[in-house]
Amino acid sequence: TQLLEQSPQFLSIQEGENLTVYCNSSSVFSSLQWYRQEPGEGPVLLVTVVTGGEVKKLKRLTFQFGDARKDSSLHITAAQPGDTGLYLCAGPEGTSGSRLTFGEGTQLTVNP
Amino acid sequence: DAGVTQSPTHLIKTRGQQVTLRCSPKSGHDTVSWYQQALGQGPQFIFQYYEEEERQRGNFPDRFSGHQFPNYSSELNVNALLLGDSALYLCASSSTVQLSGLFYGYTFGSGTRLTVV
């Protein structure tokens, strides 16, 4: 089983601050995905990174896939209260690739 | 465009009972996967259905079973409920059409919160 470790587990910051969360594995993944989950809701896909070294930007969110495809990071610039949520990274495993293994998540709280 | 619909949203059951959870996938999706998410943890894969058959299964006991219907909707059944089965059960739909052989992600429902007392 391929494992994904996320850090930090909890993060509480003030509005306007920058932050980075990490997703690490000892295994190589063909791709990694980031989801955001709000209380009482299911995870919502933010991005999929597929190429080692790839950087993708989604407004104030920047996602990077490590060169060796074993790790990824999510950087948020000028965080806002609306960014509050559980951030999950996930990678495919199994023969079909559509079975995902998830990290335990980073719970982000942005205080006004 | 309706996304993934799950029912019921909340459920309370007693130990030893049986429960059935339901899921309608996003329009155009033909594959349904079920995940269990315990409080404070990431989702864990239970199983996946495609063409009305179980295609992949995670490390869950046989008390967990499922079904997919011709219209792609799906059910998750759990027998002999244990306190440890209390969790958020997520249904995720996807399409077998993949670009470049890669899986580009799920659409999740809002989940069913199951509490076993």
Side-chain angles (χ1 to χ4, degrees), chain B residues 19-22 34 46-47 64-66 74-78 89:
Chain B
V19 68
T20 297
L21 311 181
R22 296 177 174 82
W34 287 91
I46 303 175
F47 43 53
F64 289 77
S65 63
S74 178
E75 290 181 349
L76 163 65
N77 301 292
V78 186
Y89 288 85

Side-chain angles (χ1 to χ4, degrees), chain B residues 22-81:
Chain B
R22 296 177 174 82
C23 171
S24 293
K26 179 179 178 178
S27 177
H29 285 181
D30 55 9
T31 302
V32 173
S33 303
W34 287 91
Y35 284 79
Q36 180 195 66
Q37 186 176 23
L39 199 60
Q41 297 187 12
Q44 292 200 1
F45 179 80
I46 303 175
F47 43 53
Q48 182 180 86
Y49 278 84
Y50 171 64
E51 291 188 332
E52 302 179 48
E53 291 188 4
E54 182 183 294
R55 296 291 178 163
Q56 300 188 77
R57 188 177 182 91
N59 189 27
F60 279 79
D62 292 344
R63 298 186 298 108
F64 289 77
S65 63
H67 189 76
Q68 186 180 35
F69 300 92
N71 66 353
Y72 308 121
S73 67
S74 178
E75 290 181 349
L76 163 65
N77 301 292
V78 186
N79 295 321
L81 284 166

Side-chain angles (χ1 to χ4, degrees), chain B residues 6-11 88 110-114:
Chain B
Q6 291 188 244
S7 64
T9 55
H10 295 83
L11 203 52
L88 181 67
S110 296
T112 294
R113 172 68 65 186
L114 173 64

Side-chain angles (χ1 to χ4, degrees), chain A residues 7-86:
Chain A
S7 61
Q9 187 176 359
F10 298 96
L11 192 54
S12 180
I13 61 171
Q14 295 300 121
E15 182 175 1
E17 293 183 359
N18 302 332
L19 66 113
T20 302
V21 299
Y22 300 92
C23 174
N24 295 294
S25 176
S26 59
S27 304
V28 174
F29 283 89
S30 58
S31 63
L32 280 178
Q33 298 167 7
W34 286 91
Y35 292 80
R36 180 170 68 207
Q37 185 177 22
E38 299 184 17
E41 299 292 331
V44 174
L45 179 65
L46 296 175
V47 76
T48 301
V49 286
V50 299
T51 304
E54 180 178 7
V55 176
K56 280 191 173 180
K57 292 191 175 183
L58 184 66
K59 297 183 180 179
R60 294 176 293 99
L61 278 60
T62 301
F63 303 86
Q64 186 164 6
F65 199 12
D67 290 341
R69 291 185 289 128
K70 292 183 177 181
D71 57 87
S72 181
S73 64
L74 159 59
H75 182 79
I76 301 179
T77 303
Q80 300 177 0
D83 296 326
T84 293
L86 179 68

